[in-house]
Short mmCIF file of all heavy atoms in Angstrom, two decimals:
data_model
loop_
_atom_site.label_atom_id
_atom_site.label_comp_id
_atom_site.label_asym_id
_atom_site.label_seq_id
_atom_site.Cartn_x
_atom_site.Cartn_y
_atom_site.Cartn_z
N ASP A 1 77.75 72.69 98.62
CA ASP A 1 77.18 73.98 98.29
C ASP A 1 75.88 73.86 97.47
O ASP A 1 75.88 73.02 96.63
CB ASP A 1 78.21 74.85 97.52
CG ASP A 1 79.60 74.68 98.04
OD1 ASP A 1 79.81 74.73 99.32
OD2 ASP A 1 80.52 74.72 97.26
N LEU A 2 75.01 74.68 97.75
CA LEU A 2 73.69 74.52 97.07
C LEU A 2 73.48 75.86 96.34
O LEU A 2 73.48 76.92 96.81
CB LEU A 2 72.57 74.27 98.07
CG LEU A 2 71.25 73.88 97.49
CD1 LEU A 2 71.41 72.62 96.65
CD2 LEU A 2 70.25 73.68 98.60
N ALA A 3 73.16 75.66 95.00
CA ALA A 3 72.84 76.85 94.15
C ALA A 3 71.33 77.05 94.34
O ALA A 3 70.57 76.48 93.51
CB ALA A 3 73.26 76.56 92.74
N THR A 4 70.94 77.70 95.44
CA THR A 4 69.49 77.82 95.68
C THR A 4 68.85 78.82 94.79
O THR A 4 69.55 79.65 94.10
CB THR A 4 69.34 78.28 97.20
OG1 THR A 4 69.95 79.55 97.29
CG2 THR A 4 69.99 77.30 98.16
N GLU A 5 67.57 78.76 94.68
CA GLU A 5 66.90 79.65 93.90
C GLU A 5 67.13 81.05 94.32
O GLU A 5 67.23 82.01 93.55
CB GLU A 5 65.34 79.41 93.90
CG GLU A 5 64.92 78.19 93.13
CD GLU A 5 63.53 78.00 92.94
OE1 GLU A 5 62.77 79.05 92.86
OE2 GLU A 5 63.06 76.88 93.03
N GLU A 6 67.29 81.29 95.67
CA GLU A 6 67.52 82.57 96.25
C GLU A 6 68.83 83.11 95.69
O GLU A 6 68.96 84.19 95.27
CB GLU A 6 67.54 82.62 97.79
CG GLU A 6 67.83 83.80 98.36
CD GLU A 6 67.88 83.85 99.89
OE1 GLU A 6 67.49 82.79 100.51
OE2 GLU A 6 68.35 84.82 100.53
N ASN A 7 69.90 82.26 95.82
CA ASN A 7 71.26 82.63 95.42
C ASN A 7 71.28 82.98 93.92
O ASN A 7 71.96 83.81 93.47
CB ASN A 7 72.30 81.59 95.83
CG ASN A 7 72.65 81.64 97.29
OD1 ASN A 7 72.17 82.47 97.94
ND2 ASN A 7 73.38 80.63 97.67
N MET A 8 70.62 82.02 93.08
CA MET A 8 70.70 82.14 91.68
C MET A 8 69.98 83.52 91.20
O MET A 8 70.15 83.87 90.10
CB MET A 8 70.09 80.94 91.05
CG MET A 8 70.74 79.68 91.16
SD MET A 8 72.61 79.82 90.63
CE MET A 8 72.27 79.85 88.81
N ALA A 9 69.13 84.09 92.05
CA ALA A 9 68.51 85.31 91.76
C ALA A 9 69.43 86.55 92.13
O ALA A 9 69.09 87.71 91.80
CB ALA A 9 67.16 85.44 92.35
N ARG A 10 70.57 86.25 92.71
CA ARG A 10 71.53 87.32 93.13
C ARG A 10 72.78 87.30 92.42
O ARG A 10 73.28 86.17 92.04
CB ARG A 10 71.82 87.16 94.64
CG ARG A 10 70.52 87.27 95.48
CD ARG A 10 70.68 86.85 96.98
NE ARG A 10 71.80 87.45 97.59
CZ ARG A 10 72.33 87.04 98.75
NH1 ARG A 10 71.87 85.92 99.30
NH2 ARG A 10 73.17 87.57 99.34
N THR A 11 73.42 88.37 92.23
CA THR A 11 74.64 88.50 91.55
C THR A 11 75.82 88.26 92.56
O THR A 11 75.56 88.28 93.81
CB THR A 11 74.91 89.86 90.84
OG1 THR A 11 74.90 90.85 91.84
CG2 THR A 11 73.95 90.12 89.79
N VAL A 12 77.02 87.99 92.14
CA VAL A 12 78.15 87.85 93.01
C VAL A 12 78.34 89.11 93.82
O VAL A 12 78.55 88.97 95.09
CB VAL A 12 79.51 87.55 92.22
CG1 VAL A 12 80.69 87.54 93.21
CG2 VAL A 12 79.31 86.15 91.52
N ALA A 13 78.20 90.25 93.35
CA ALA A 13 78.37 91.53 94.06
C ALA A 13 77.25 91.66 95.07
O ALA A 13 77.58 92.00 96.30
CB ALA A 13 78.35 92.71 93.18
N THR A 14 76.10 91.25 94.79
CA THR A 14 74.96 91.40 95.78
C THR A 14 75.16 90.42 96.89
O THR A 14 74.90 90.72 98.04
CB THR A 14 73.59 91.10 95.03
OG1 THR A 14 73.44 92.02 93.89
CG2 THR A 14 72.40 91.25 96.07
N MET A 15 75.65 89.21 96.59
CA MET A 15 75.89 88.20 97.62
C MET A 15 77.05 88.73 98.62
O MET A 15 76.85 88.54 99.76
CB MET A 15 76.51 86.94 97.07
CG MET A 15 75.33 85.92 96.61
SD MET A 15 76.28 84.49 96.00
CE MET A 15 74.80 83.36 96.05
N MET A 16 78.11 89.34 98.03
CA MET A 16 79.14 89.82 98.87
C MET A 16 78.62 90.92 99.85
O MET A 16 78.88 90.94 100.92
CB MET A 16 80.28 90.37 98.04
CG MET A 16 81.08 89.18 97.44
SD MET A 16 82.52 89.84 96.52
CE MET A 16 83.52 90.60 97.87
N ALA A 17 77.81 91.81 99.24
CA ALA A 17 77.32 92.91 100.02
C ALA A 17 76.36 92.46 101.10
O ALA A 17 76.35 93.13 102.15
CB ALA A 17 76.45 93.91 99.11
N GLY A 18 75.77 91.33 100.91
CA GLY A 18 74.89 90.84 101.99
C GLY A 18 75.51 89.87 103.01
O GLY A 18 74.76 89.35 103.84
N ASP A 19 76.86 89.66 102.87
CA ASP A 19 77.57 88.72 103.70
C ASP A 19 78.36 89.54 104.74
O ASP A 19 79.30 90.23 104.41
CB ASP A 19 78.43 87.82 102.97
CG ASP A 19 79.06 86.66 103.83
OD1 ASP A 19 79.42 86.94 104.95
OD2 ASP A 19 79.04 85.56 103.31
N ASP A 20 78.00 89.47 106.09
CA ASP A 20 78.66 90.23 107.09
C ASP A 20 80.21 89.94 107.19
O ASP A 20 81.01 90.78 107.60
CB ASP A 20 78.10 89.99 108.44
CG ASP A 20 76.69 90.58 108.56
OD1 ASP A 20 76.35 91.49 107.77
OD2 ASP A 20 75.95 90.17 109.40
N ASN A 21 80.64 88.77 106.85
CA ASN A 21 82.06 88.34 106.88
C ASN A 21 82.83 88.84 105.66
O ASN A 21 84.06 88.76 105.63
CB ASN A 21 82.18 86.84 106.95
CG ASN A 21 81.60 86.35 108.37
OD1 ASN A 21 81.87 86.95 109.36
ND2 ASN A 21 80.98 85.14 108.29
N LEU A 22 82.19 89.39 104.72
CA LEU A 22 82.84 89.86 103.46
C LEU A 22 82.72 91.45 103.27
O LEU A 22 82.82 91.95 102.20
CB LEU A 22 82.32 89.14 102.25
CG LEU A 22 82.60 87.68 102.22
CD1 LEU A 22 81.86 87.03 101.01
CD2 LEU A 22 84.10 87.42 102.15
N SER A 23 82.29 92.18 104.34
CA SER A 23 82.00 93.56 104.17
C SER A 23 83.20 94.35 103.74
O SER A 23 83.03 95.34 102.95
CB SER A 23 81.46 94.13 105.62
OG SER A 23 82.43 94.04 106.59
N MET A 24 84.47 94.05 104.24
CA MET A 24 85.66 94.81 103.70
C MET A 24 85.85 94.60 102.25
O MET A 24 86.18 95.51 101.52
CB MET A 24 86.84 94.54 104.61
CG MET A 24 86.64 95.04 106.08
SD MET A 24 88.14 94.65 107.06
CE MET A 24 89.02 96.08 106.60
N ALA A 25 85.87 93.34 101.88
CA ALA A 25 86.01 93.02 100.41
C ALA A 25 84.96 93.73 99.54
O ALA A 25 85.21 94.23 98.49
CB ALA A 25 86.06 91.58 100.24
N SER A 26 83.69 93.66 100.05
CA SER A 26 82.61 94.21 99.29
C SER A 26 82.81 95.74 99.18
O SER A 26 82.64 96.33 98.10
CB SER A 26 81.24 93.92 99.99
OG SER A 26 80.19 94.43 99.33
N GLU A 27 83.17 96.40 100.35
CA GLU A 27 83.46 97.84 100.29
C GLU A 27 84.50 98.21 99.37
O GLU A 27 84.54 99.17 98.58
CB GLU A 27 83.82 98.38 101.69
CG GLU A 27 83.98 99.78 101.84
CD GLU A 27 84.35 100.24 103.20
OE1 GLU A 27 84.02 99.47 104.24
OE2 GLU A 27 84.95 101.39 103.26
N ALA A 28 85.65 97.41 99.33
CA ALA A 28 86.72 97.58 98.39
C ALA A 28 86.29 97.44 96.95
O ALA A 28 86.78 98.30 96.11
CB ALA A 28 87.94 96.59 98.75
N LEU A 29 85.48 96.51 96.71
CA LEU A 29 85.01 96.41 95.26
C LEU A 29 84.16 97.51 94.87
O LEU A 29 84.26 98.06 93.78
CB LEU A 29 84.13 94.99 95.11
CG LEU A 29 84.97 93.74 95.12
CD1 LEU A 29 84.04 92.52 95.23
CD2 LEU A 29 85.86 93.66 93.82
N SER A 30 83.29 98.04 95.84
CA SER A 30 82.50 99.24 95.50
C SER A 30 83.34 100.40 95.28
O SER A 30 83.12 101.27 94.41
CB SER A 30 81.57 99.49 96.58
OG SER A 30 80.62 98.45 96.76
N GLN A 31 84.29 100.61 96.11
CA GLN A 31 85.19 101.82 96.05
C GLN A 31 85.97 101.87 94.73
O GLN A 31 86.17 102.90 94.16
CB GLN A 31 86.21 101.76 97.16
CG GLN A 31 87.11 102.98 97.20
CD GLN A 31 87.95 103.05 98.29
OE1 GLN A 31 87.65 102.61 99.44
NE2 GLN A 31 89.25 103.58 98.11
N THR A 32 86.35 100.68 94.21
CA THR A 32 87.07 100.68 93.01
C THR A 32 86.27 100.51 91.68
O THR A 32 86.74 100.61 90.63
CB THR A 32 88.08 99.39 92.99
OG1 THR A 32 87.22 98.16 93.07
CG2 THR A 32 89.04 99.47 94.12
N GLY A 33 84.95 100.37 91.87
CA GLY A 33 84.06 100.24 90.65
C GLY A 33 83.90 98.80 90.13
O GLY A 33 83.22 98.56 89.32
N LEU A 34 84.76 97.89 90.77
CA LEU A 34 84.67 96.53 90.36
C LEU A 34 83.32 95.88 90.66
O LEU A 34 82.92 94.78 90.01
CB LEU A 34 85.80 95.66 90.94
CG LEU A 34 87.17 96.06 90.32
CD1 LEU A 34 88.24 95.31 91.22
CD2 LEU A 34 87.28 95.59 88.89
N SER A 35 82.54 96.36 91.65
CA SER A 35 81.32 95.76 91.98
C SER A 35 80.37 95.86 90.84
O SER A 35 79.47 94.98 90.59
CB SER A 35 80.78 96.30 93.29
OG SER A 35 80.61 97.73 93.11
N THR A 36 80.39 96.88 90.07
CA THR A 36 79.53 97.15 88.89
C THR A 36 79.78 96.02 87.88
O THR A 36 78.85 95.43 87.44
CB THR A 36 79.82 98.46 88.27
OG1 THR A 36 79.64 99.50 89.17
CG2 THR A 36 78.96 98.72 87.06
N MET A 37 81.04 95.60 87.67
CA MET A 37 81.37 94.49 86.85
C MET A 37 80.72 93.20 87.42
O MET A 37 80.17 92.42 86.56
CB MET A 37 82.85 94.41 86.67
CG MET A 37 83.24 93.16 85.83
SD MET A 37 85.08 92.96 85.94
CE MET A 37 85.32 92.29 87.52
N LEU A 38 80.82 92.98 88.71
CA LEU A 38 80.29 91.75 89.26
C LEU A 38 78.79 91.74 89.37
O LEU A 38 78.29 90.75 89.89
CB LEU A 38 81.02 91.58 90.66
CG LEU A 38 82.54 91.36 90.55
CD1 LEU A 38 83.13 91.20 91.93
CD2 LEU A 38 82.93 90.17 89.75
N ASP A 39 78.24 92.85 89.04
CA ASP A 39 76.71 92.89 89.06
C ASP A 39 76.13 92.67 87.61
O ASP A 39 74.96 92.58 87.37
CB ASP A 39 76.24 94.33 89.55
CG ASP A 39 75.53 94.15 90.90
OD1 ASP A 39 75.15 93.07 91.31
OD2 ASP A 39 75.49 95.23 91.60
N GLY A 40 77.03 92.59 86.63
CA GLY A 40 76.70 92.47 85.27
C GLY A 40 76.40 90.93 84.97
O GLY A 40 76.43 90.11 85.65
N PRO A 41 76.23 90.72 83.63
CA PRO A 41 75.86 89.46 83.16
C PRO A 41 77.06 88.47 82.91
O PRO A 41 76.78 87.23 82.86
CB PRO A 41 75.19 89.77 81.79
CG PRO A 41 75.94 91.03 81.28
CD PRO A 41 76.18 91.73 82.61
N SER A 42 78.18 88.86 82.85
CA SER A 42 79.35 87.98 82.66
C SER A 42 79.60 87.22 83.94
O SER A 42 79.42 87.68 84.95
CB SER A 42 80.59 88.87 82.30
OG SER A 42 80.34 89.52 81.06
N SER A 43 80.23 86.06 83.77
CA SER A 43 80.47 85.16 84.77
C SER A 43 81.91 85.32 85.36
O SER A 43 82.81 85.48 84.56
CB SER A 43 80.26 83.62 84.37
OG SER A 43 78.94 83.44 84.11
N TYR A 44 82.01 85.33 86.73
CA TYR A 44 83.27 85.39 87.36
C TYR A 44 83.34 84.51 88.60
O TYR A 44 82.28 84.26 89.23
CB TYR A 44 83.50 86.88 87.79
CG TYR A 44 83.59 87.88 86.70
CD1 TYR A 44 82.47 88.61 86.39
CD2 TYR A 44 84.76 88.01 85.95
CE1 TYR A 44 82.55 89.58 85.28
CE2 TYR A 44 84.76 88.88 84.93
CZ TYR A 44 83.65 89.73 84.55
OH TYR A 44 83.73 90.54 83.58
N THR A 45 84.50 84.09 88.91
CA THR A 45 84.76 83.43 90.17
C THR A 45 85.55 84.43 91.04
O THR A 45 86.58 84.91 90.61
CB THR A 45 85.61 82.19 89.97
OG1 THR A 45 84.82 81.29 89.10
CG2 THR A 45 85.84 81.44 91.33
#
């Protein structure tokens, strides 16, 4: 896995939203408000 400059400029939530294979999980995070947390400065897996 490569932590590219492009990826390092994106948050976990942004990465999910841009991945066609994760659209349902991304939509679920948005619906619940958890995407806001994953767009913040704290680190999550």
